[in-house]
């Protein structure tokens, strides 16, 4: 077998027993790998309505068919899938590094973790040998410390480790899973699911060769893509990095600022990607097989946070900076390091701090409520203190650690309206009021507010459409992008390399064929992309989500952009959202209620799952 | 004996190396037709995010691996400095591994004899250098390394002097 390892590992944490089953090749063809395969396996191994932090919610780790090869960026990703404690729908998060390729060499396409261990344990996968080892001495350690301790423990420094921090142990709904110090499977609270199983970490060593099916042609394609990786398609990531977005978004007035009170940050110049690179970036490193490298490592050279070392990207910089009104890069970087230390999704963590600051400024949370912190926007010390409290679940941190939706409900007094989330997942750095294609993408994203499920902001930001207009046709644009992004996360390749696939899905189909030997076309791949999105929709329907949840944060629909400038007064009205949703559902072959029709399921070869939509009403 | 200007080896520039492992992948592919870092003759070390470097055989002047081998399985080529292995004699005892200060000679994970970089003698040029996307790897002699270090040091001195002016 080529591409796929052909094996799925089941681990029962209740008993410590493991078993291996052959990979269902029908699933492999239809759902590719990564998030697609992961979600399909999750569905088979769970009951509808399962409580996300119960032992019955399986945590699935899935690798893609290209993993372990030399193909640029394709060798290195892995995906976690489970029901999300944040959204109560399907959760998934992808990370890169070297962990995924090691897992492939160990001989698994997926690992399904069921049940809950009696005591804290970590999973040690050494090719065919799979053990649960005591993790008592790892409790409370950061993912980075955990990785180092496990390497010491196993006396193998090339072991790859994915671990949770204290936030995951304490079941914070914004907890993530981190591998290799700085790479996070960040969104949707997968770290809390792992913590609920008393599973501190997964360590893996794989020794098997990975051999593509058509190796000569494959190596020719690799050579071609090595050239493309050096070209204009990856320029941004190789140079300033995603932090370049700060000034771009700010100039377009599409950078949510101070918890969406503004769309423009007057001090953006102080936290720009340009300044970040000039003053803080010490080194840019790469994941396994990358050929581009993008990971901007920053070091704080002086001041109160001197010596802090972490990775920095636009989203996390934005969340802890402009979104909290903070203009000090050193504090933002320290905040990022703290998020990694406790194992919290840095986007959700920053957005939650911004929310708390808004509550404070509106008199909803008092200085006393906050344990003595004067949490005005722009107070960088408050950012650090609140993050510490969230990581440890101390005081107000106990409420904030579960993200803005949960915190808004618990705090009340109108705090719900200040909680900027979709389906319970915190917003990301695109002001949806003036990016209406993106707004649709965010509203329908199956994992909640996120740019990485569709990348539909590109049409708006690059001026390919009138970004202030909600009109027919946007549905198909979002649909096509969602299909592509689902495939990228299923193959798994890196989204930063998406521009090197000059022929789009045809290039991806060729890659799939050369690695796996399985015939594939661009049309078939697009169908797989549609199938994966529809599968996620079916899961969400099973878990009780529907059209009512395909909505936008309160401020996006009720507080027009106040800033003088090109998009003053922009807002998304319910009527506009309805038009966009109708258009999108139609392009997907779903009913007005967002339910996939039986004809659509048949077309996608998903008749077997029609039980889920039975009785939900067809148009 | 090979002259000081002729004994070449693969050297990584830690300023340029990003730890991407492409050298490992292409090495194992070239030598074994499989992607597997464990079978690579060059290995990447990431001490932390800032410290990345690929390490391979330095072709020492008086190679301790050869001296350590109790079965005379290793010898150094007079012509090129390459460490050569007699597979029939090697029993994988690991004395050479212990002797090497750089971890550049390793036990093969399957056939249980040691392997070490031969500069891709069958390919004409080291594939890791050809494929490194950062141009972090170069084929150098000790003398060239020393030249480069001297030039860098002197340049720095003059820049410092300029600044002070």
């Amino acid at each position: 077998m080529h591409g796929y390892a052909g094996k799925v590992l089941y681990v029962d944490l209740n008993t410590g027993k493991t078993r291996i089953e052959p990979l269902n090749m029908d699933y492999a063809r239809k759902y590719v790998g990564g998030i697609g395969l992961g979600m399909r396996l999750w569905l088979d191994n769970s009951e509808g309505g399962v409580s996300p932090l119960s032992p019955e919610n399986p945590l699935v780790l899935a690798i893609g068919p290209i993993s372990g090869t030399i193909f640029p960026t394709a060798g290195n990703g892995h995906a976690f899938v489970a029901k999300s404690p944040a959204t109560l729908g399907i959760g998934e998060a992808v990370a890169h590094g070297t962990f995924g390729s090691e897992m492939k060499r160990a001989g698994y396409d997926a690992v399904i973790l069921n049940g809950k261990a009696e005591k804290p344990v970590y999973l040690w996968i050494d090719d065919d040998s799979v053990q649960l080892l005591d993790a008592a001495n790892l409790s409370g350690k950061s993912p980075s410390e955990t990785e180092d301790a496990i390497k010491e423990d196993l006396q193998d420094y090339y072991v790859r480790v994915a671990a949770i921090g204290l936030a995951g142990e304490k079941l914070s709904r914004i907890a993530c899973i981190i591998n290799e110090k700085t790479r996070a499977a960040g969104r949707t609270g997968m770290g809390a699911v792992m913590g609920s199983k008393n599973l501190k970490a997964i360590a893996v060593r794989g020794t098997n060769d990975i051999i593509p099916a058509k190796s000569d042609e494959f190596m020719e394609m690799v050579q071609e893509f090595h050239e493309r990786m050096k070209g204009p398609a990856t320029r941004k990531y190789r140079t300033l990095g995603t932090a370049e977005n700060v000034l771009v978004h700010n100039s377009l007035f599409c950078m949510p600022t101070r918890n969406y009170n503004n769309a423009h940050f007057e001090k953006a110049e102080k936290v720009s990607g340009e300044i970040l690179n000039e003053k803080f970036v010490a080194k840019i490193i790469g994941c396994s097989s990358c050929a581009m490298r993008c990971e901007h490592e920053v070091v704080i050279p002086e001041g109160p946070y001197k010596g802090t070392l972490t990775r920095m990207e636009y989203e996390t910089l934005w969340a802890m900076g402009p979104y909290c009104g903070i203009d000090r890069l050193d504090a933002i970087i320290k905040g990022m390091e703290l998020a990694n230390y406790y194992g919290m999704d840095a986007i959700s963590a920053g957005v939650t701090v911004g929310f708390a600051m808004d509550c404070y400024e509106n008199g909803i949370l008092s200085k006393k409520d906050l344990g003595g912190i004067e949490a005005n926007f722009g107070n960088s010390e408050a950012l650090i203190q609140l993050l510490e409290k969230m990581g440890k679940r101390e005081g107000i941190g106990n409420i904030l650690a579960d993200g803005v939706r949960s915190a808004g409900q618990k705090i009340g007094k109108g705090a719900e309206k200040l909680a900027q989330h979709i389906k319970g997942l915190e917003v990301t750095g695109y002001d949806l009021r003036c990016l209406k294609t993106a707004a649709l993408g965010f509203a329908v994203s199956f994992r909640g507010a996120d740019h990485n499920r569709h990348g539909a902001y590109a049409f708006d930001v690059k001026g390919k459409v009138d970004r202030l207009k909600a009109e027919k046709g946007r549905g198909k644009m979002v649909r096509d992008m969602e299909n592509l992004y689902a495939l990228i996360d299923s193959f798994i390749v890196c989204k930063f390399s998406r521009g090197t696939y000059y022929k789009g899905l045809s290039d991806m189909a060729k890659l799939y064929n050369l690695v796996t030997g399985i015939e594939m076309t661009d049309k078939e791949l697009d169908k797989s992309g549609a199938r994966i999105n529809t599968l996620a929709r079916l899961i969400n329907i099973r878990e009780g989500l529907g059209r009512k949840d395909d909505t936008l944060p309160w401020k996006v629909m009720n507080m027009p952009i106040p800033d003088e400038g090109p998009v003053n007064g922009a807002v998304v009205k319910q009527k506009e959202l309805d038009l966009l949703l109708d258009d999108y559902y139609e392009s997907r072959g779903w009913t007005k209620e967002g339910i996939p029709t039986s004809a659509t399921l048949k077309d996608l070869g998903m008749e077997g799952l029609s039980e889920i939509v039975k009785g939900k009403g067809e148009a | 004996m090979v002259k000081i200007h002729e004994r070449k080896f693969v050297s990584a520039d830690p300023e340029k190396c990003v730890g991407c492992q492409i050298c490992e992948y292409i090495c194992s592919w070239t030598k074994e037709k499989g992607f597997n870092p464990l079978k690579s003759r060059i290995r990447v070390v990431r001490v932390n995010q800032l410290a990345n470097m690929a390490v391979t055989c330095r072709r020492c002047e008086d190679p301790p691996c050869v001296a350590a081998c109790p079965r005379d399985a290793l010898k150094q080529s007079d012509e090129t400095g390459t460490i050569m292995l007699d597979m029939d004699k090697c029993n994988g005892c690991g004395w050479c591994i212990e002797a090497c200060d750089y971890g550049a000679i390793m036990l093969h994970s399957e056939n249980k004899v040691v392997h070490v970089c031969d500069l891709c003698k069958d390919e004409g040029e080291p594939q890791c250098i050809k494929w490194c996307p950062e141009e972090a790897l170069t084929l150098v002699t000790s003398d060239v390394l020393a030249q480069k270090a001297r030039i860098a040091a002197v340049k720095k001195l003059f820049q410092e002097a300029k600044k002070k002016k």
Side-chain angles (χ1 to χ4, degrees):
Chain A
M1 188 176 295
H2 299 281
Y4 296 99
K7 287 188 293 187
V8 176
L9 171 65
Y10 287 77
V11 179
D12 184 341
L13 289 148
N14 294 328
T15 62
K17 285 190 178 154
T18 63
R19 69 172 203 279
I20 287 167
E21 285 189 10
L23 173 67
N24 178 331
M25 285 313 289
D26 182 50
Y27 285 4
R29 277 165 195 265
K30 283 182 164 168
Y31 299 95
V32 186
I35 65 165
L37 177 67
M39 291 194 292
R40 190 63 192 84
L41 291 170
W42 183 85
L43 183 61
D44 273 355
N45 286 276
S46 64
E47 300 281 339
V50 60
S51 169
L53 297 179
S54 71
E56 288 75 36
N57 181 20
L59 178 63
V60 180
L61 163 63
I63 314 303
I66 319 299
S67 282
T69 72
I70 195 176
F71 200 85
T73 85
N76 58 39
H78 63 279
F80 283 100
V81 175
K83 182 166 176 176
S84 163
T87 71
L88 305 181
I90 191 67
E92 50 81 15
V94 172
H96 292 257
T98 62
F99 182 84
S101 47
E102 200 73 27
M103 189 62 80
K104 174 61 74 62
R105 286 193 291 277
Y108 307 101
D109 297 301
V111 181
I112 298 175
L113 300 147
N114 264 307
K116 178 183 181 178
E118 218 170 288
K119 290 180 296 188
V121 293
Y122 75 90
L123 179 65
W124 167 221
I125 300 173
D126 184 8
D127 282 341
D128 296 336
S129 155
V130 181
Q131 304 172 66
L132 290 171
L133 300 177
D134 181 40
N137 63 334
L138 302 175
S139 291
K141 280 191 174 17
S142 72
S144 170
E145 290 164 350
T146 301
E147 179 183 331
D148 291 344
I150 287 176
K151 286 178 173 177
E152 274 306 318
D153 189 24
L154 297 173
Q155 287 287 302
D156 184 338
Y157 302 94
Y158 282 83
V159 161
R160 310 300 181 181
V161 178
I164 57 170
L166 190 59
E169 291 175 36
K170 289 184 177 277
L171 311 183
S172 157
R173 290 177 199 198
I174 62 170
C176 61
I177 303 169
I178 294 182
N179 55 295
E180 290 138 85
K181 319 274 183 191
T182 52
R183 313 292 315 190
R187 308 234 70 200
T188 70
M190 294 297 99
V193 176
M194 193 154 150
S196 75
K197 301 195 169 308
N198 255 334
L199 181 64
K200 178 68 179 171
I202 301 168
V204 60
R205 174 170 59 194
T207 66
N208 296 297
D209 290 359
I210 304 297
I211 302 166
K214 302 178 181 175
S215 54
D216 291 344
E217 287 169 79
F218 171 78
M219 288 308 282
E220 275 173 36
M221 189 173 180
V222 172
Q223 233 162 354
E224 159 91 34
F225 270 70
H226 262 247
E227 288 311 309
R228 294 187 190 182
M229 291 296 279
K230 292 172 193 159
T234 62
R235 180 207 53 83
K236 173 176 169 181
Y237 308 109
R238 285 184 280 113
T239 53
L240 286 181
T242 54
E244 181 182 303
N245 291 356
V246 172
L247 292 187
V248 175
H249 288 196
N250 203 47
S251 69
L252 293 168
F253 286 67
C254 67
M255 185 162 70
T257 297
R258 286 178 286 266
N259 199 39
Y260 255 98
N261 287 341
N262 299 93
H264 180 83
F265 188 39
E266 64 288 352
K267 296 170 184 162
E269 297 280 348
K270 292 176 76 177
V271 297
S272 68
E274 287 76 359
I275 299 287
L276 182 80
N277 277 272
E278 188 189 317
K279 298 237 165 92
F280 298 98
V281 173
K283 174 104 184 154
I284 306 175
I285 62 174
C287 296
S288 172
S289 87
C290 177
M292 153 174 60
R293 96 271 184 287
C294 73
E295 188 177 327
H296 289 58
E297 301 298 334
V298 295
V299 177
I300 300 180
E302 58 195 5
Y305 312 120
K306 186 177 172 176
T308 304
L309 162 64
T310 192
R311 168 190 175 204
M312 213 68 224
E313 296 288 342
Y314 165 70
E315 283 295 338
T316 50
L317 189 163
W318 157 80
M320 303 214 173
Y323 202 75
C324 297
I326 289 172
D327 64 355
R328 282 191 56 167
L329 266 177
D330 61 343
I332 294 167
I333 292 165
K334 180 63 188 175
M336 178 68 230
E337 189 224 29
L338 279 177
N340 279 353
Y341 183 82
Y342 290 113
M344 295 183 285
D345 171 22
I347 298 176
S348 287
V351 169
T352 304
V353 170
F355 156 82
M357 288 176 163
D358 210 3
C359 288
Y360 177 74
E361 295 224 343
N362 278 288
I364 296 170
L365 285 175
S366 68
K367 184 175 169 183
K368 195 174 155 224
D369 292 332
L370 295 170
I373 301 171
E374 291 178 9
N376 295 96
F377 283 122
N379 182 348
S380 59
E381 275 173 37
L383 166 75
I384 303 301
Q385 290 166 334
L386 286 171
L387 288 171
E388 289 274 7
K389 284 184 185 292
M390 285 160 64
K392 296 177 192 157
R393 274 197 185 274
E394 266 176 18
I396 190 72
N398 190 33
I399 289 173
L400 298 177
D402 286 329
V404 299
R405 176 163 74 177
S406 163
Q409 286 163 355
K410 282 184 186 149
I411 294 164
K413 295 186 264 184
E416 298 95 328
K417 290 178 179 173
L418 306 184
Q420 304 307 292
H421 68 86
I422 299 170
K423 299 184 179 77
L425 190 67
E426 289 71 20
V427 290
T428 70
Y430 296 84
D431 197 309
L432 304 176
R433 293 173 290 198
C434 63
L435 304 170
K436 292 191 178 171
T437 323
L440 173 60
F442 274 65
V444 297
S445 153
F446 56 75
R447 74 171 179 184
D450 205 84
H451 53 291
N452 263 332
R453 286 273 44 86
H454 48 81
Y457 54 84
F459 301 114
D460 301 316
V461 170
K462 290 182 179 165
K464 292 187 176 164
V465 295
D466 178 351
R467 64 187 168 112
L468 294 178
K469 201 168 170 190
E471 61 185 352
K472 275 201 151 206
R474 303 291 171 95
K476 186 178 180 304
M477 295 167 87
V478 168
R479 173 209 171 275
D480 290 349
M481 289 296 283
E482 277 187 329
N483 287 2
L484 173 65
Y485 272 42
L487 288 168
I488 287 175
D489 284 343
S490 298
F491 257 63
I492 298 170
V493 296
C494 172
K495 293 212 177 80
F496 292 176
S497 73
R498 64 189 183 277
T500 63
Y501 295 83
Y502 297 162
K503 291 182 192 162
L505 293 183
S506 299
D507 277 342
M508 289 182 77
K510 181 179 167 190
L511 172 61
Y512 184 87
N513 170 256
L514 296 182
V515 173
T516 65
I518 298 169
E519 291 303 320
M520 187 54 67
T521 64
D522 54 342
K523 285 203 175 68
E524 254 186 279
L525 268 191
D526 182 58
K527 209 169 221 188
S528 288
R531 192 180 292 120
I532 293 162
N533 278 286
T534 301
L535 171 70
R537 186 76 184 184
L538 290 176
I539 293 174
N540 280 351
I541 290 168
R542 193 187 79 168
E543 301 306 318
L545 274 62
R547 179 170 179 134
K548 65 180 188 328
D549 302 289
D550 291 346
T551 186
L552 293 164
W554 189 85
K555 288 189 184 182
V556 172
M557 300 190 68
N558 294 283
M559 189 192 271
I561 291 179
D563 308 84
E564 288 304 323
V567 292
N568 179 269
V571 71
V572 182
K573 299 192 187 92
Q574 184 65 48
K575 224 172 94 183
E576 291 178 300
L577 177 61
D578 284 336
L579 183 149
L580 292 168
L581 289 180
D582 289 345
D583 189 42
Y584 168 80
Y585 293 160
E586 195 186 328
S587 77
R588 280 248 173 257
W590 299 352
T591 69
K592 286 257 181 207
E593 285 307 303
I595 312 284
T597 64
S598 44
T600 298
L601 292 182
K602 193 170 174 225
D603 179 51
L604 296 173
M606 302 173 82
E607 302 95 323
L609 298 174
S610 58
E611 196 64 28
I612 295 172
V613 294
K614 217 174 179 182
K616 305 267 179 193
E618 283 204 12
Chain B
M1 278 297 282
V2 60
K3 288 179 191 158
I4 189 167
H5 286 290
E6 289 161 11
R7 180 169 300 175
K8 291 177 177 167
F9 55 90
V10 177
S11 164
D13 181 345
E15 294 291 319
K16 290 182 181 169
C17 180
V18 299
C20 71
Q21 299 182 293
I22 284 171
C23 52
E24 293 182 350
Y25 280 113
I26 199 63
C27 181
S28 70
W29 182 256
T30 305
K31 291 292 178 191
E32 318 253 353
K33 285 287 169 251
F35 296 116
N36 191 345
L38 275 178
K39 293 181 180 172
S40 170
R41 277 75 167 155
I42 182 167
R43 290 306 308 268
V44 173
V45 179
R46 178 173 288 171
V47 179
N48 62 43
Q49 294 99 303
L50 302 179
N52 298 270
M53 196 164 149
V55 180
T56 189
C57 179
R58 310 285 292 186
R59 309 171 150 227
C60 308
E61 287 293 328
D62 184 12
C65 55
V66 173
C69 181
R71 298 169 67 93
D72 295 327
L74 293 172
K75 63 177 186 187
Q76 185 170 35
S77 154
D78 278 348
E79 200 183 325
T80 62
T82 302
I83 306 298
M84 297 181 299
L85 174 76
D86 184 336
M87 282 179 73
D88 294 334
K89 285 186 182 167
C90 177
N91 68 348
C93 72
W95 279 102
C96 56
I97 297 171
E98 207 170 325
C100 177
D101 287 332
Y102 312 101
I105 190 162
M106 293 157 283
L107 193 63
H108 192 283
S109 56
E110 271 165 23
N111 61 24
K112 305 301 177 196
V113 295
V114 295
H115 60 239
V116 65
C117 171
D118 67 358
L119 298 183
C120 295
K121 59 180 166 55
D122 301 332
E123 322 293 323
E125 61 177 318
Q127 296 299 296
C128 55
I129 295 177
K130 186 175 154 194
W131 280 75
C132 176
E134 301 299 323
E135 297 176 2
L137 300 175
T138 42
L139 195 59
V140 294
T141 62
S142 310
D143 188 45
V144 168
L145 272 188
Q147 290 175 19
K148 280 186 177 174
R150 276 195 296 276
I151 293 166
V154 172
K155 269 187 182 166
K156 201 177 162 195
L157 264 179
F158 275 83
Q159 271 162 5
E160 296 292 317
K162 243 184 187 172
K163 270 187 212 163
K164 278 169 192 158
K165 264 184 189 172

